[in-house]
Amino acid sequence: MRIICSFEVKKIPLHYRMMIVSILKESIRASSEEYYERLYAQANATKPFVFSPFLKNFRFKGDEIELDELRVIISSPDYEFLLHVYNGLQRKKRFEYRGCELIRRKIVMGDEKKITSSTVVFRTLSPLLVEDENKSPIAPDDKNYEKHINYLADTILSEYRGTGLCRPLMIQPIRFKKMVIKESNRQFTEKYGEQQHLYFTTYHGLFK
């Protein structure tokens, strides 16, 4: 199940992914404080959603990105989660994040494709971050990539529905590209008084 939401915005920070997380958290809180507290009671627990941002007519300018529109696809198997996101977005039209103003525009439900085969080819809409036990990034052509994908999928399903994978996933990368993501670290910034950044090695492309 997916929600597609567009925002009118003039500029966003380079590390805009945390901005989107902030908007989702504000939306959930505007819908239900009780659900928000339950969802974020454990800081390190896996959250039941992913999102894909699309920037319309964007231009880089220093530490910011100028653009005409931000569109975000939010996907989740959890109907309660998406209900609170949807309700919160309906109630809250204006968002602020580090000097950037976002005006919520259109919200629509995304079409779902019915999967009828046990073998499917997926194209990633956002880059995937897969790390090993030492927090080192794993590339899709690494022999341990499939093992770590299975661990992540099993953990996510177990935390969401109480049971993990019914059988192991077999992952075959068809075409992929490396992408290094730059993000801010709020905890380090608050502790040391200057903005800190983290860099993540991710991959996107086609996977069977």
Side-chain angles (χ1 to χ4, degrees), residues 19-173:
M19 177 191 72
I20 296 173
V21 173
S22 177
I23 289 172
L24 294 178
K25 291 174 73 173
E26 282 189 53
S27 300
I28 293 169
R29 202 162 201 168
S31 174
S32 171
E33 183 72 29
E34 184 275 331
Y35 179 78
Y36 174 87
E37 294 295 338
R38 175 156 46 95
L39 184 65
Y40 287 95
Q42 294 181 315
N44 295 324
T46 303
K47 304 301 184 291
F49 72 93
V50 294
F51 63 83
S52 302
F54 296 87
L55 283 59
K56 183 178 179 181
N57 299 330
F58 65 91
R59 293 84 57 191
F60 292 102
K61 189 174 181 180
D63 290 332
E64 296 178 334
I65 302 173
E66 295 180 344
L67 68 166
D68 296 336
E69 181 185 74
L70 170 66
R71 185 162 58 96
V72 183
I73 299 176
I74 306 130
S75 304
S76 176
D78 190 334
Y79 286 91
E80 184 180 12
F81 171 84
L82 284 180
L83 175 66
H84 288 303
V85 171
Y86 184 86
N87 288 343
L89 286 170
Q90 289 281 16
R91 294 176 183 178
K92 192 174 176 65
K93 187 175 182 180
R94 180 177 176 274
F95 296 87
E96 282 191 20
Y97 184 85
R98 297 187 179 180
C100 302
E101 181 184 51
L102 299 95
I103 306 299
R104 190 264 303 153
R105 293 305 187 198
K106 191 175 183 181
I107 311 173
V108 297
M109 301 302 295
D111 294 330
E112 295 296 330
K113 291 185 177 181
K114 187 175 182 180
I115 296 176
T116 58
S117 171
S118 62
T119 302
V120 186
V121 174
F122 290 98
R123 176 175 62 87
T124 60
L125 297 181
S126 284
L128 298 175
L129 171 64
V130 179
E131 297 176 325
D132 63 14
E133 300 88 347
N134 301 313
K135 298 297 182 181
S136 297
I138 300 292
D141 56 358
D142 188 289
K143 64 179 182 179
N144 292 315
Y145 189 79
E146 186 174 271
K147 180 185 78 171
H148 290 290
I149 283 283
N150 272 274
Y151 172 79
L152 288 172
D154 190 68
T155 301
I156 291 168
L157 284 172
S158 295
E159 292 187 3
Y160 164 62
R161 69 183 186 186
T163 57
L165 290 168
C166 296
R167 59 179 177 175
L169 297 173
M170 292 184 290
I171 310 295
Q172 178 185 335

Side-chain angles (χ1 to χ4, degrees), residues 14 42 44 77 81 93 174 185 188 204:
L14 282 176
Q42 294 181 315
N44 295 324
F81 171 84
K93 187 175 182 180
I174 299 173
N185 189 309
F188 272 57
H204 66 97

